[in-house]
Amino acid sequence: MPGERPTPRPGLNLADSLLYGFDVGDETSSNYLHSLVEQDCIPQQNRDELLRLSLMNGVEEWNMLFARATALRDEASRSGYPWANPETDLVAYLGQIVPGDATTGEPQLIEQQYHVDCAKERQRRRPKGTTRSGSGQRNPGKTVSHFWDTPDGTRLDSRSSGHGINCSPDPDRDQAGGSTTADWGFHVPPPLNAPFQSSLDANTHQPRPKPATDEKPTLAQFANSPPTVHPQRATKSPFFTTPPRTPKSRPRPGTVSSLPIPPLSSATFGLVQEELASSPFSLLVAVTFLIKTKATVAIPVFRQLMERFPRPAELAAADPDEIIPGISPLGLSGVRCAKIQRYARTWLTSPPSKDKRYGVKNYPKLGDGKGVRGAEEFGGEEEEDAKAVGCAWEIGHLTSGPYALDSWRIFCRDVLLGRAEDWNGRGAGEGFQPEWMRVLPKDKELRACLRWMWMREGWLWDPETGDKEIMGEEMRNAVNEGRVGYDDTGGLVILSRGTN
């Protein structure tokens, strides 16, 4: 939905124009949506709705501003300000709402309106039958309680003392420096400017004795006496202490793989991409379903779709109404259907070839590929074209999504280019470095898989930087025994017992 307008990213004209003003959750989602818009795989109905929302973004804010400006103009006209004119254009009042030039010398309408509103609110909340005296104090008339009488018959006046009672019924005594304790025997708080007097005796360091009196305080005296504050007693026994609770930390989403690390002797890590490495088209469909979806949900839907439409030609010719109901559990079923059908049609007319590469923006890192256009055609890798180095790929005309490109590079590219017979480098010459060793994926499952593959080569690999260090014997044994897991940051830790 429309939200806070982010700063447009460089190099994406159409996608930035349509998606400007929308609050996209993270970078992966943003790249995915940008790729959908750029490659024209959104149904026309959805594209028209996106365009309408983009054009109407901000209308509500402007309506609220003009409504406030209208209210200010009407209030100024009713108040009879000499500078107010009912015929004045509303734009002149917008400057009083939105911060603008403060040197015009005109009255500040917002401040005046604020004071007017406050005065009206005070008048509305004032109890009926009361008036305001000149000193600002309420005058309740004759509604004075008879409980506020002193023992000598005089009436206490709350305005004669800053403490709410008359502390000195005898003026002569006050002038003579008398005590601030009244004659009826309860303590009256001293004025704020009175010197501090400790409650302990200076010689014995014991509490001062209270003055003895036989007179009991009246109801008025009790009502005006300050409350007695008792120290709070402990509510917990020291013999039943409980250890403090430490909040259980959780790893940040997207950092810890959901798959356990298999032994180094295992043939595969456990990703579906390993199973589909020999079928690049099926791999692209699978990773499209896995975007923002759990594998436990996406993989069964993918297998059912492939059983019904096993080849690109069948998927391209299928009616969308036959596909969408089956993939609806994944969400965004209309968008996913359009994307995989576009894959199928493009695969039939222009399948990936080692002799052609296509430009991809913002891959492998955000900001890469600024010098190329999306899907711009280049020659094969053997052609020395500095413009295409690192930003042109054999499936760039099919997708620009980082997750799909990373998966295809790791498991399919070496076979397409004829470098090896599989993604592990089988059949390649000595000293051959597989493509997966040059990939730095952002996806947590791909990172976990590459980490395990580097372990098989004898290295501990950092998925953030690509740096490596020699794996020690302790880590090797822990991996083979199933005693390696992840911490909250996605780092490897050796466990005391197996994870299985």
Side-chain angles (χ1 to χ4, degrees), residues 190-198:
L192 294 179
N193 57 356
F196 172 77
Q197 183 177 7
S198 174

Side-chain angles (χ1 to χ4, degrees), residues 78-102:
R78 289 192 299 269
S79 303
Y81 294 117
W83 43 266
N85 185 358
E87 304 298 329
T88 304
D89 195 296
L90 288 178
V91 178
Y93 288 84
L94 290 177
Q96 305 297 333
I97 301 175
V98 182
D101 187 8

Side-chain angles (χ1 to χ4, degrees), residues 24 67 69 84 97 122 166 265 278 285 287 320 352 359 369 397 410 428 431 454 473:
V24 183
I97 301 175
R122 290 194 297 269
N166 186 2
S265 58
S278 59
V285 175
V287 297
H397 62 309
I410 293 172
W454 276 111
E473 192 65 25

Side-chain angles (χ1 to χ4, degrees), residues 324-387:
I324 292 177
I327 65 176
S328 59
L330 307 179
L332 296 174
S333 54
V335 175
R336 295 183 199 259
C337 174
K339 192 174 184 104
I340 61 176
Q341 285 198 300
R342 186 179 62 82
Y343 284 165
R345 289 190 291 268
T346 306
W347 197 278
L348 295 175
T349 58
S350 181
S353 170
K354 66 178 182 179
D355 299 324
K356 287 184 180 180
R357 292 176 296 167
Y358 302 88
V360 177
K361 288 180 172 293
N362 298 298
Y363 179 82
K365 295 184 295 184
L366 188 65
D368 290 349
K370 293 182 178 180
V372 301
R373 300 187 307 273
E376 180 180 357
E377 187 172 332
F378 296 93
E381 193 175 47
E382 66 277 359
E383 296 185 10
E384 297 181 0
D385 191 339
K387 183 180 178 181

